[in-house]
Amino acid sequence: MAFSLIHKPDAPSRGISWKAAVMLCSLLLAPLILLHLLTDGCASSSPVNEASSLGRDSVLFEKSGTLKRLALTVGSELRGYGAARRASRALADERSRKMELQLPGGGEEEEDSRVAMSGKVSPRFAGKLSPLGEGSKKMPQALIIGVKKGGTRALLEFLRVHPDIRAVGAEPHFFDRNYDHGLDWYRDLMPKTLEGQITMEKTPSYFVTREAPARISAMSRDTKLIVVVRDPVTRAISDYTQTLSKKPDIPSFESLTFKNRTTGLIDTSWSAIQIGIYAKHLDNWLQYFPMDQILFVSGERLISDPAGELGRVQDFLGLKRIITDKHFYFNQTKGFPCLKKAEGSSKPHCLGKTKGRTHPNIDPEVVQRLRDFYRPFNMKFYQMTGRFFGWDN
């Protein structure tokens, strides 16, 4: 009798079965290995702890050399990934710190303004962040609104030493040049702050911009305003000196001062002269802000007694007087005070080479005519502010 042969399926080879088993075990055990390594092995960067963690893991899989190698491989990759993340974060923190410590030099403020006009955010606008990036971006509660060549850069750098002040390094020029970008754009330029910290920025041209008071008041009527003022004659010469450094072919200071040298009529349309008529500009601000929300800092005293002026500013902002005499030393070469330790650094710091330029020699007769011109405006300014600045002595 013929029997039909019944063919049974060939048994899987041992090699294939073993590979399938390894793959299945890998899929089942990988999550456990990941969880264990993340909570135990990756919690410490110590080579000793990592080694002991690996030892415990390997005991669990000592019966399977393949699974043991799998555990070691996954653990190694996880630790490599964690180390890369830590290195990347450290590099980012270091870059952020260096950007914050970079101070404006010749032409950098103008470059930031051009970037702002394009609608992009300059890297130097990046604010000071806490190590883990806590905090949020807020509208500034205080503004340094003026005046150009009065000492605003020095004041800002001195204030940034205070741990409760976070300030934009460059000048946003929002309320004069970039207002059409909107308040959300402006807020995005601000540094992140924690509860209790004050957000600040400084743009000296705000003080002489007619639209600025109304625009700032629309943002917040509680905004505190700081104006650094200086002898208007000295300020005008300093303003001219800065322009001369960029445009050596401009007319002389004397020829720009007068509409007609013979009659002695001062040309108030020249910005270097016009900025120094402080009483006129202050009238515009007082239509939107009460006097107790405006602090006037003496540019001269900021040089002779920086701690004293900074004390007044800290009181005005409602902050503890942390910035004191111990933070300053006088640099004889530059002729103004410098920080013993800059914000975020352990080294002494002075303002850049664009500050403290040597003024050209100006005809003494022209200087005297300017003093006579400014005197009535100065007297009105003293009365409005209740402070005598001594520019007419």
Side-chain angles (χ1 to χ4, degrees), residues 40-57:
D40 192 20
C42 295
S44 170
S45 60
S46 168
V48 175
N49 289 341
E50 290 179 355
S52 62
S53 177
L54 277 176
R56 291 194 300 272
D57 294 337

Side-chain angles (χ1 to χ4, degrees), residues 21-52:
V22 170
M23 290 178 63
L24 179 61
C25 290
S26 299
L27 292 173
L28 293 175
L29 293 176
L32 296 176
I33 298 171
L34 290 172
L35 178 63
H36 179 70
L37 289 173
L38 284 171
T39 57
D40 192 20
C42 295
S44 170
S45 60
S46 168
V48 175
N49 289 341
E50 290 179 355
S52 62

Side-chain angles (χ1 to χ4, degrees), residues 155 226-230 278 282 291 294-313 316 377-392:
L155 178 62
I226 302 174
V227 188
V228 187
V229 289
R230 181 185 185 186
Y278 303 140
L282 181 56
M291 185 64 81
I294 309 175
L295 179 70
F296 294 90
V297 175
S298 167
E300 287 80 15
R301 285 183 59 82
L302 199 57
I303 295 175
S304 63
D305 181 21
E309 287 299 282
L310 266 293
R312 294 179 62 247
V313 176
F316 174 69
F377 296 109
N378 291 344
M379 296 305 296
K380 183 181 179 182
F381 184 67
Y382 298 161
Q383 293 172 355
M384 296 172 74
T385 60
R387 185 176 183 186
F388 179 72
F389 290 90
W391 298 324
D392 303 295

Side-chain angles (χ1 to χ4, degrees), residues 148 233 235-241 243-244 250-259 266-277 281 362 366 370 373-374:
K148 180 183 179 183
V233 177
R235 197 221 65 81
I237 297 173
S238 180
D239 197 338
Y240 173 80
T241 303
T243 304
L244 184 65
I250 62 172
S252 67
F253 180 86
E254 291 83 355
S255 63
L256 291 171
T257 298
F258 299 103
K259 286 186 176 179
I266 303 295
D267 187 357
T268 57
S269 66
W270 184 30
S271 63
I273 300 297
Q274 196 259 352
I275 290 173
I277 309 176
H281 305 302
I362 306 298
V366 174
L370 274 177
F373 166 78
Y374 279 120

Side-chain angles (χ1 to χ4, degrees), residues 168-189:
V168 180
E171 298 176 3
H173 283 281
F174 176 66
F175 295 104
D176 57 352
R177 304 177 190 171
N178 300 311
Y179 195 64
D180 59 338
H181 286 307
L183 287 172
D184 289 339
W185 178 88
Y186 182 52
R187 183 192 290 111
D188 195 50
L189 300 181

Side-chain angles (χ1 to χ4, degrees), residues 210-243:
R210 187 158 190 82
E211 300 82 8
R215 291 171 174 177
I216 294 173
S217 178
M219 176 187 72
S220 173
R221 299 184 67 180
D222 297 325
T223 305
K224 293 187 175 182
L225 309 171
I226 302 174
V227 188
V228 187
V229 289
R230 181 185 185 186
D231 179 341
V233 177
T234 309
R235 197 221 65 81
I237 297 173
S238 180
D239 197 338
Y240 173 80
T241 303
Q242 182 183 56
T243 304

Side-chain angles (χ1 to χ4, degrees), residues 123-151:
R124 297 199 316 111
F125 279 118
K128 294 182 282 186
L129 302 179
S130 53
L132 298 179
E134 301 98 333
S136 59
K137 294 185 176 184
K138 303 172 184 177
M139 294 297 186
Q141 298 99 321
L143 299 172
I144 300 176
I145 60 173
V147 297
K148 180 183 179 183
K149 306 311 296 180

